[in-house]
């Protein structure tokens, strides 16, 4: 293990460069936020060379993250999307001939990105989503009923929050209910592959043993995704329905039907991006309400605050911890000379605690206004599902809070150990529900 960086005393576990990619550090909120705060104050665009990773610039201020996110032709997505060890990046390249296992919206640049995004853009806008409101409220009620039936104690993550957005997304994609455990396992393995507890949970759900080689598992996982959604594409071409799977399967790009790889990649991004993100936010939001009884009381007394509270939960949790970009030309950022070809990691969680933008950033306030958080990114890749995510989280708390007579922790909450998409992996609670 490397020595502590003398510039950042207090990070004795690793150098700051190793710490910022270390899932153990990301899982320790106090530690990672102290590290981000130091970087924002002392070196907001920091050249980072962690052991086992290709180097990159760590971008930690709200302003710089926004600038990079909006300059989509100067900072592109197609080369490196998220932080991955050199070994894993090289393996993917040697196996697929490409830098990515999937080519989803977040791994593409315009013009191809925009052509694909346009297919579903309108479907995810509020006027169309309004059609889904009643169904989402029904799914939220089902999950709170399930919680009530559990007799006053549950693990909110594993028994409620993981299943609720999954049901919504699977409903959108037209996946039958009996296949939900399989979908849960696949999304968990993609995002939580580095965390033995998350992998154990996914194995338990499907009884499918993972090999010792995580990289081999990812390839098998890709094949499994493709086989599953290939059948859905064929079905929606033959029998169109009123769901987003039908929009994708029958999409046209430049006057030609969407090809199978493009359609599959679309399902993959929706199935994965729309799941863990929303469930982590719901669990993390509930934990903050439990830890801040004054905020819980304020919200319960005035439900019109719910939309603000939802955005505060999203800011607080920031389930997508970073995305990456690659510079296409030499330029300056935060006083640093960025060279064409340099990679940049945009640490959204840091931007969302930036004291230059947020009043008392380390306080959870259900009535925070304004709340210009960047948890959904910015620019042409701005989260496609942001309205859906807000709708889902709002529906869950709109059902839960009026029925909740009391709630407290029944054990220690634990975060998943992942540095890309992460959040609580267990939240034991004791409660009385009407
Ligand atoms: C992209 C966050 C929920 C679908 C993104 C990005 C972020 C993000 C940070 C990348 C933005 C950028 O690079 O500038 C979140 C958060 C969520 C959430 C915090 C929940 C609280 C969802 C949901 C869906 C979804 C429910 C369902 C469809 C997508 C897609 C993209 C995306 C398809 C790629 C967009 C593109 O590259 O054009 N999301 N997301 N997300 N998200 Fe979400």
């Amino acid at each position: 293990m490397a020595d502590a960086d003398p510039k950042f005393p207090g990070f004795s576990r690793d150098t700051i460069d190793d710490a910022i990619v270390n899932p153990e550090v990301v899982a320790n909120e106090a530690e990672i936020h102290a590290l981000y705060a130091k970087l924002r104050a002392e070196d907001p665009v920091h050249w980072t060379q962690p052991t086992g990773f290709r180097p990159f610039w760590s971008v930690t201020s709200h302003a710089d993250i926004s600038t990079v996110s909006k300059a989509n032709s100067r900072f592109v997505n197609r080369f490196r999307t998220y932080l991955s060890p050199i070994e894993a990046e090289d393996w993917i390249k040697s196996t697929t001939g490409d830098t990515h296992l999937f080519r989803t919206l977040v791994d593409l640049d315009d013009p191809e990105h925009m052509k694909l995004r346009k297919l579903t853009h309108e479907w995810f806008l509020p006027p169309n989503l309004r059609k889904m409101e009643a169904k989402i409220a029904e799914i939220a009620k089902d999950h709170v009923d399930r919680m009530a039936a559990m007799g006053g104690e549950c693990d909110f993550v594993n028994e409620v929050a993981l299943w609720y957005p999954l049901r919504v997304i699977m409903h959108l994609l037209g996946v039958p209910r009996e296949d939900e455990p399989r979908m849960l396992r696949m999304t968990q393995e993609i995002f939580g592959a580095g965390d033995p507890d998350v992998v154990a949970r996914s194995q338990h759900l499907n009884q499918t043993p993972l090999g010792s080689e995580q990289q081999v598992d990812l390839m098998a996982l890709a094949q499994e995704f493709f086989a599953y959604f290939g059948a859905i594409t064929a079905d929606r071409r033959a029998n169109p329905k009123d769901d987003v799977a039908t929009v994708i399967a029958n999409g046209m790009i430049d006057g030609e039907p969407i090809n199978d790889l493009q359609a599959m990649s679309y399902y993959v991004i929706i199935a994965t991006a729309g799941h863990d993100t929303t469930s982590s936010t719901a669990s993390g939001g509930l934990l903050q309400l439990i830890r801040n009884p004054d905020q819980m009381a304020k919200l319960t007394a005035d439900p019109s605050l719910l939309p603000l509270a939802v955005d505060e939960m999203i800011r607080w949790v920031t389930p997508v911890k970073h995305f990456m970009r690659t510079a296409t030309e030499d330029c300056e950022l935060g006083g640093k000379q960025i060279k064409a070809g340099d990679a940049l990691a945009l640490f959204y969680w840091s931007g969302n605690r930036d004291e230059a933008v947020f009043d008392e950033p380390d306080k959870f306030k259900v009535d925070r206004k304004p709340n210009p958080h960047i948890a959904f990114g910015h620019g042409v890749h701005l989260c496609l599902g942001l309205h859906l995510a807000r709708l889902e989280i709002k529906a869950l708390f709109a059902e839960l809070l009026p029925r909740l007579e009391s709630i407290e922790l029944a054990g220690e909450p634990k975060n998943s150990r992942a540095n890309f998409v992460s959040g609580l992996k267990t939240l034991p609670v004791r409660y009385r529900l009407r």
Side-chain angles (χ1 to χ4, degrees):
M1 193 176 288
D3 292 337
D5 186 329
K7 218 166 133 199
F8 298 109
F11 296 101
S12 52
R13 200 188 301 188
D14 274 325
T15 68
I16 199 159
D17 291 12
D18 286 346
I20 207 161
V21 297
N22 183 340
E24 298 281 349
V25 176
V26 180
N28 181 335
E29 287 175 50
E31 198 171 358
I32 190 73
H33 283 302
L35 188 157
Y36 287 149
K38 284 228 171 231
L39 282 178
R40 283 194 306 273
E42 298 175 22
D43 199 12
V45 179
H46 170 73
W47 184 242
T48 314
Q49 297 174 278
T51 316
F53 286 73
R54 293 196 163 86
F56 58 91
W57 294 97
S58 289
V59 184
T60 49
S61 80
H62 187 283
D64 291 334
I65 294 169
S66 303
T67 300
V68 173
S69 302
K70 287 178 191 163
N72 296 102
S73 50
R74 185 180 299 161
F75 299 106
V76 296
N77 283 41
R78 61 184 172 274
F79 300 108
R80 276 174 91 179
T81 312
Y82 58 90
L83 288 165
S84 189
I86 292 173
E87 209 187 327
E89 287 183 349
D90 287 353
W91 179 83
I92 286 181
K93 196 146 191 201
S94 65
T95 315
T96 65
D98 191 1
T99 48
H100 290 73
L101 200 55
F102 307 110
R103 275 282 162 191
T104 73
L105 286 180
V106 279
D107 314 310
L108 293 168
D109 297 304
D110 289 345
E112 190 182 0
H113 161 263
M114 199 39 82
K115 288 177 190 169
L116 278 166
R117 181 165 168 132
K118 263 165 83 180
L119 294 181
T120 59
H121 180 74
E122 233 177 271
W123 204 93
F124 283 102
L125 288 180
N128 185 62
L129 288 178
R130 241 164 254 139
K131 291 192 300 204
M132 297 276 306
E133 264 176 39
K135 182 68 191 175
I136 292 177
E138 181 194 314
I139 298 175
K141 182 171 180 311
D142 266 8
H143 284 76
V144 177
D145 286 348
R146 194 201 280 188
M147 202 176 150
M150 276 181 247
E153 221 170 290
C154 78
D155 178 349
F156 188 77
V157 173
N158 288 293
E159 291 176 292
V160 182
L162 275 174
W163 299 99
Y164 166 62
L166 184 74
R167 173 86 55 83
V168 174
I169 282 292
M170 293 304 126
H171 176 74
L172 301 190
L173 290 176
V175 170
R177 223 165 136 169
E178 61 272 19
D179 290 344
E180 283 174 13
R182 186 176 174 195
M183 285 294 137
L184 181 61
R185 176 180 57 79
M186 289 197 261
T187 54
Q188 295 290 297
E189 283 176 11
I190 283 192
F191 283 143
D195 186 330
D197 291 353
V198 173
V199 172
R201 176 171 66 200
S202 67
Q203 281 179 287
H204 167 75
L205 282 163
N206 209 49
Q207 293 91 43
T208 306
L210 285 176
S212 54
E213 266 288 301
Q214 184 196 312
Q215 295 167 341
V216 173
D217 298 329
L218 277 177
M219 203 55 177
L221 205 56
Q223 280 165 357
E224 193 178 350
F225 252 113
F226 276 48
Y228 190 89
F229 285 109
I232 293 210
T233 304
D235 178 68
R236 290 309 189 277
R237 284 179 180 156
N239 313 296
K241 294 194 177 138
D242 185 21
D243 58 20
V244 78
T246 301
V247 177
I248 296 168
N250 297 286
M252 302 286 285
I253 307 273
D254 294 334
E256 297 285 326
I258 189 171
N259 68 40
D260 284 352
L261 186 67
Q262 288 168 325
M264 272 3 131
S265 298
Y266 228 126
Y267 300 126
V268 168
I269 185 76
I270 291 178
T272 54
H275 176 219
D276 260 15
T277 48
T278 313
S279 64
S280 291
T281 306
S283 307
L286 180 63
L287 176 58
Q288 287 315 305
L289 291 175
I290 296 171
R291 284 194 170 147
N292 298 281
D294 59 324
Q295 299 300 306
M296 171 82 96
K298 199 181 236 181
L299 183 55
T300 311
D302 182 1
S304 74
L305 292 176
L306 203 45
L308 295 182
V310 166
D311 267 285
E312 180 65 344
M313 291 175 187
I314 296 168
R315 179 188 78 92
W316 191 265
V317 174
T318 308
V320 180
K321 303 303 189 246
H322 73 271
F323 260 116
M324 299 191 80
R325 300 289 192 264
T326 302
T328 54
E329 56 190 70
D330 293 357
C331 55
E332 201 194 293
L333 182 74
K336 297 290 172 70
Q337 287 305 315
I338 313 290
K339 294 248 173 313
D342 284 356
L344 303 92
L346 311 178
F347 288 108
Y348 303 117
W349 214 11
S350 173
N352 281 341
R353 298 290 178 96
D354 190 336
E355 36 295 281
V357 174
F358 298 97
D359 178 33
E360 300 187 292
D362 297 323
K363 281 205 174 141
F364 176 82
K365 302 181 189 185
V366 291
D367 54 356
R368 183 178 288 281
K369 196 177 173 185
N371 188 350
H373 70 74
I374 42 173
F376 290 123
H378 249 310
V380 301
H381 291 280
L382 175 73
C383 177
L384 181 70
L386 68 94
H387 302 293
L388 175 65
R390 285 183 172 130
L391 183 63
E392 281 180 62
I393 300 162
K394 194 174 135 209
L396 184 64
F397 285 96
E399 178 67 29
L400 178 64
L401 294 180
R403 292 173 62 179
L404 207 51
E405 285 172 7
S406 66
I407 185 158
E408 61 183 10
L409 290 179
E412 195 49 40
K414 286 196 191 112
N415 287 319
S416 63
R417 282 166 280 159
N419 67 17
F420 176 38
V421 175
S422 69
L424 285 167
K425 69 179 171 190
T426 168
L427 177 60
V429 286
R430 193 174 302 118
Y431 50 86
R432 282 214 315 271
L433 262 177
R434 278 186 274 271

